[in-house]
Structure formats: structure tokens, C-alpha cells
Amino acid sequence: MEPVVLSGSGNPPLAAAIAKELGLPIGAATVGRFPDDELHVELHEDVGGRDVYLVQSFSPPADRALLELLFLADAARRSGAKRVVAAVPYLAYARQDKRTKGTGPLGARVLAEILQTASLDRLVVLDLHSSEVIAGLRIPLEHLSAIPLLADELGESSRPASVIVSPDGGGVVRAEAYAKRLQLPVAVVHKTRISGSEVSAQAVTGDVRGRLPIVVDDMISTGGTIEAAIRALRAAGCAERTTVAATHALLVGGAIERLQRLGIERLVTTDSLPAQATLPFAV
Ligand code: R5P
């Protein structure tokens, strides 16, 4: 029987693109709200005996996206789907892989345990901030990476004088993966997070003087990390022309204006999250 793609509200254009690429229909479903704001999910498609591909990015509000996924999976399972595969290109909460100040929850672990309870046969994710979120999950999963794709795209912006920059210590392995593909050196900015939207960058390791920076990260949320990194790079004598690449472009809380003020030349990203209306730089 023909498989079917089901979409939550997390990123319908991506679900449509995937369905088109696979030559599959998008299953008719209601994903809305009841008058009291409870989630209302209803399948209008007969999924009995069929493979169901759920496409749901955890775009803000992530809590809602998570519940939609759980409800869609449950609805598909109870309607007799043969297999339920969830593609979650952006999995939120992966950054909460440590207890803040030793007093907060281990959010990534909580999320992993919730996913464990979902009626999923397979989970497909893309460039997780931390694989802690999926560590020990007892469902088959695939952790895909957009780095090869983004690195190919960066080929256009790359020059012999370019340098790949990790905006923090946690991103060094990622930066090295880009650098290897583009045959460029790596530099690292040392950052400290002050709040959800503010970070401070203390020092740059690596030879950046006069070089053209390509700053690579897994995600851009408020743009605070990228801003601090670029300011530190410029203070260290890096050239102004800057390219930024990140798998997930959340771009919340004035991030677009923030990046625009920095005069970024190009932002290379994926469609793991719904596109922002118009971005004021080449994408
Ligand atoms: C943190 O370690 C991540 O890799 C990103 O650098 C960070 O989450 C981006 O967030 P923001 O854009 O708000 O600084």
C-alpha cells in the first residue's frame, strides 16, 4: 500500500517538499485547537496498513510541536498504520543537556524519555546540538547531518584566505568537519553564556588576522553567539566580510536585525525550520 506523509504545524512547507520528492501524498488531517486551547488532532486519511512518515520540526512553540507529534503518532498507530516514522529535522531542548547551575531539570533527557513513549518505529533527526537527547533511546534512529550539504554550498563563499570559525568550544568538532571538506584552517572563539540572549566572547584561538571568517554553528537562536564571535574576530584583526552557516535558523528575538547590524554577507542554512519572511542578506 502507498505510504503517506503527515505534517504537524512545525514546518508544513518542508513536509510538502519531502512528499513531493518522494512522490507521496500528504495525508489529510486536522491539527488545530479546541475552544479551550487543547490540541485537536484528527486523521481524515485511511492509514491502515500503510507506512506513515510524520514530518514535524519543533519550531516555536516547541512544546506544542512535541504534543502534535505524539498525538499524530498515536492517531496513526491506533488507525492501523503499518510503521510510523517521525522525521524531526529540528529537535528542540537538545541544548538542555546539562543542569543549569545544578538546580534545573535535565531537559534533554526528559524530552528523550517522552519520545521513548511515542508510538514510533523510527526517529530521524538532523544535526542535534547534543546527542544526549537521544542517548539510550530504545527506538531505531538516524542522526543525519547537513554539514556535507552546507559545506558544498559554502564552497562558493570560500577563498584561500578564509578561515572556518567555531563560535564556542563546544562546536570545534563541527568546525573541523567543515574545515576538512573545504580544506581551510580552523579558529575557535571562547564564549561564556551570560543569559538566554547574551554571551561574551573572551578570546580567539587560531590565526585569523586578515582572514575571511566563515562562522559555523548548529543553530542560530537569538544571534547572541554569532554576534559575540564576530565582534571578537574583528577585534582580533579578522576581515569584515563574514559568512555564517548553521543548520537550524530559529532566528528569534530580533536575531535577524542583530545579524543585519553586523553586516553579514551571507547566511547559509537549511529549511529544517520554516523560512522567515525575507532575510536581509544572501541566503
Ligand atoms: C550553543 O552552544 C549552540 O551551539 C548555539 O551557539 C547557540 O545555541 C545559539 O544560540 P544564540 O543564537 O541565542 O546565541
Side-chain angles (χ1 to χ4, degrees):
M1 293 178 85
E2 187 181 45
V4 60
V5 174
L6 292 178
S7 175
S9 67
N11 193 346
L14 178 64
I18 290 173
K20 190 171 173 209
E21 182 72 24
L22 296 173
L24 295 177
I26 292 258
T30 296
V31 181
R33 292 270 154 186
F34 285 114
D36 61 359
D37 208 36
E38 277 189 1
L39 185 59
H40 174 198
V41 167
E42 212 175 322
L43 303 187
H44 308 297
E45 182 87 26
D46 180 5
V47 300
R50 298 166 77 181
D51 283 347
V52 170
Y53 300 117
L54 297 179
V55 180
Q56 175 71 325
S57 234
F58 287 7
S59 54
D63 321 2
R64 173 187 169 139
L66 167 65
L67 200 60
E68 285 181 10
L69 176 76
L70 299 174
F71 278 27
L72 281 165
D74 188 71
R77 181 67 72 204
R78 289 177 194 282
S79 305
K82 188 166 130 211
R83 287 193 322 147
V84 181
V85 177
V88 183
Y90 172 66
L91 190 71
Y93 288 105
R95 288 184 290 177
Q96 296 197 29
D97 58 340
K98 292 182 191 61
R99 298 186 66 208
T100 313
K101 298 178 188 153
T103 55
L106 198 49
R109 192 65 223 161
V110 173
L111 186 78
E113 281 166 14
I114 292 173
L115 288 171
Q116 187 74 71
T117 65
S119 310
L120 300 177
D121 293 289
R122 180 173 287 270
L123 176 63
V124 183
V125 293
L126 179 71
D127 284 338
L128 285 179
H129 173 69
S130 159
S131 44
E132 176 68 29
V133 72
I134 51 167
L137 273 189
R138 292 185 305 278
I139 43 175
L141 60 91
E142 280 165 69
H143 186 180
L144 306 179
S145 177
I147 292 176
L149 203 65
L150 294 176
D152 277 357
E153 194 62 34
L154 282 172
E156 277 176 37
S157 314
S158 158
R159 303 281 175 275
S162 298
V163 59
I164 299 291
V165 179
S166 171
D168 53 34
V172 175
V173 172
R174 180 182 313 116
E176 283 172 347
Y178 277 98
K180 192 170 171 200
R181 288 182 169 268
L182 294 166
Q183 306 258 289
L184 290 172
V186 174
V188 183
V189 177
H190 297 274
K191 112 178 170 191
T192 307
R193 182 164 286 285
I194 299 164
S195 70
S197 60
E198 296 297 324
V199 304
S200 94
Q202 290 84 22
V204 179
T205 305
D207 178 16
V208 297
R209 186 159 294 279
R211 286 190 168 268
L212 298 160
I214 301 177
V215 185
V216 297
D217 209 344
D218 57 327
M219 59 190 289
I220 304 172
S221 181
T222 65
T225 299
I226 297 295
E227 177 173 16
I230 291 175
R231 294 201 187 286
L233 287 166
R234 289 178 181 167
C238 219
E240 294 260 323
R241 281 179 59 191
T242 308
T243 300
V244 174
T247 302
H248 309 295
L250 269 169
L251 303 176
V252 297
I256 295 173
E257 295 71 25
R258 205 170 191 172
L259 297 185
Q260 192 177 17
R261 278 197 301 273
L262 290 163
I264 285 169
E265 193 169 81
R266 187 169 180 228
L267 171 64
V268 179
T269 187
T270 73
D271 55 358
S272 68
L273 288 154
Q276 307 284 337
T278 321
L279 291 174
F281 19 73
V283 182

